Structures are given as C-alpha cells and as structure tokens.
Amino acid sequence: AGSFLPYLPSDTVVWHVSQDHSIPVIPNFLGVVITGAQQLVSMTDPWVQTLLSFLSEMVAEEILVLGFVLDTNFDEGLGAEVGFLSIPEVGWKTVSRIEQSPLWAGILAEVDVFLSHRDAVLSRGFVTLLGASAECGVQAFQHKGDLFGGIQFHPEMTVEECARLLVYRRERHPELVLDWGEEHEKLRFNAPLAQKFFDNFLDFIG
C-alpha cells in the first residue's frame, strides 16, 4: 500500500489481507482500492478467497472498487480467463484507450505507462475493455457498469521504483528483448499517472 497512499486521502484505512484474514468493519466508506503486489494466477492462499468474498460483497452493496494489477483469481471471479504471457511484459509501453470511462477522464487516448507482469487477462469474459497494449489485450477494464474498475499497468511507480524493477527483471529474465539503456532513458520523460487516475476515482465516488 505504501506506493499508493500518497495519492489517497489522509483518512484512508489500510487492510493487509494477506496478514489479516478477517474482513474489516468500516462504516460509511465510499470506495475501495485493491493493490496487487503479492498476487499470482496460481495462488490458492486462504487470503485470496477472503479478498474475493470481500470484493463480491462490495459489488453487491454497490461500493465502488478500483483495482491495480488485478490479473489473477480476481479477474476469474469476473468471468475472465487468466493465465501467463509466454514472455513477461516489462518496460514502458503504449496503452491505447478502447472505450471512454470516468476513470480515464482527462487522460490522453494513448499513454506511455510502465508495465512489469507475466500474469495476464487472456480473454475478458463479460467485463468491458477500456485499454490495451500491443502485447496484452486487456490493460484496463470495468465491470458491472462503473462499480469495478481494473488497471493492469503501474501508474503509481516513481522513477526510482521503475529503475529498480527494471534491474530485477533484467536479471531474472534474460529472454527479454529490451534496450535497457533506452528503457532507463524513458524514465526521465514519463511521470506517474496515478494522481489523475485516483482523482478521477475519488471524484466519481463523491
């Protein structure tokens, strides 16, 4: 949650579901943000089911949910097929807007964003596609009207975080065909988009 908190209100309540499996009782909250730092398609840990139950409850109560890097069991719960890319999608990629949404308000139709993932939504099921890249057909989506939105890329990462992750991916995945010098150079010209996405989300929930 640390990378996301600077973009959220000061009274945001943080729940680490992988450490605390009991669903918190939080009266009068308007929206939920889910971050995906510890997820994998193959995970069957008990907390995964806890979070799935929580998300289902939120959607049933029409509490708005915004998810980051939700390419796992959570998308399967929305009727989408999830799996692995043959080669991880890493580095700065262009994501094109497919359909307009309140989440994308004020953001260009094509944006360069940082990606680092191997899990992917392979087919979108009955969710509405909002954005895609050349390598991954589902980069942003929404479900049940505007109640549940998801983003596959990392709009929240700082330049320093992107640089560290590039080094990690380069060491772990020699099969990646990337100009690492060019990727690092792009860090100078790309700013995080998280503030705009979060502002849109907060405006929408009122």
Side-chain angles (χ1 to χ4, degrees):
S3 298
F4 296 86
L5 284 175
Y7 303 105
L8 293 168
S10 59
D11 59 350
T12 297
V13 176
V14 178
W15 173 36
H16 294 286
V17 63
S18 62
Q19 301 170 18
D20 179 4
H21 297 179
S22 58
I23 296 177
V25 178
I26 308 170
N28 304 320
F29 65 95
L30 299 176
V32 176
V33 174
I34 308 292
T35 64
Q38 297 182 357
Q39 299 168 206
L40 290 172
V41 165
S42 56
M43 289 186 80
T44 58
D45 299 46
W47 67 265
V48 174
Q49 187 56 52
T50 299
L51 186 51
L52 278 170
S53 299
F54 175 71
L55 292 179
S56 297
E57 181 181 325
M58 293 302 96
V59 172
E61 294 184 9
E62 299 191 350
I63 301 294
L64 300 182
V65 178
L66 174 61
F68 286 85
V69 199
L70 291 187
D71 44 41
T72 68
N73 311 66
F74 312 122
D75 289 326
E76 277 191 336
L78 302 178
E81 177 190 359
V82 296
F84 292 108
L85 297 173
S86 57
I87 298 176
E89 187 179 31
V90 177
W92 292 95
K93 309 288 184 179
T94 299
V95 170
S96 301
R97 185 182 67 218
I98 304 299
E99 187 168 324
Q100 186 58 274
S101 161
L103 186 62
W104 213 282
I107 298 173
L108 296 176
E110 289 192 343
V111 291
D112 290 332
V113 295
F114 189 80
L115 294 124
S116 179
H117 68 107
R118 190 164 191 172
D119 295 2
V121 179
L122 303 179
S123 66
R124 63 182 185 270
F126 45 81
V127 303
T128 300
L129 180 63
L130 300 181
S133 67
E135 293 85 356
C136 185
V138 181
Q139 291 286 359
F141 67 86
Q142 64 186 34
H143 174 61
K144 287 187 179 295
D146 296 312
L147 283 178
F148 192 110
I151 296 172
Q152 174 61 53
F153 46 90
H154 287 282
E156 84 287 355
M157 282 191 168
T158 64
V159 169
E160 293 76 17
E161 288 171 323
C162 291
R164 287 197 298 270
L165 195 47
L166 278 174
V167 171
Y168 172 79
R169 288 296 195 183
R170 183 179 185 180
E171 293 173 348
R172 288 289 301 273
H173 296 284
E175 74 275 18
L176 286 171
V177 181
L178 286 175
D179 185 326
W180 298 100
E182 181 181 342
E183 292 299 322
H184 280 280
E185 184 68 13
K186 290 177 182 177
L187 296 177
R188 298 173 51 202
F189 303 103
N190 290 277
L193 285 171
Q195 190 65 67
K196 187 59 181 172
F197 278 111
F198 278 122
D199 286 348
N200 288 344
F201 179 67
L202 294 172
D203 286 345
F204 192 64
I205 66 177

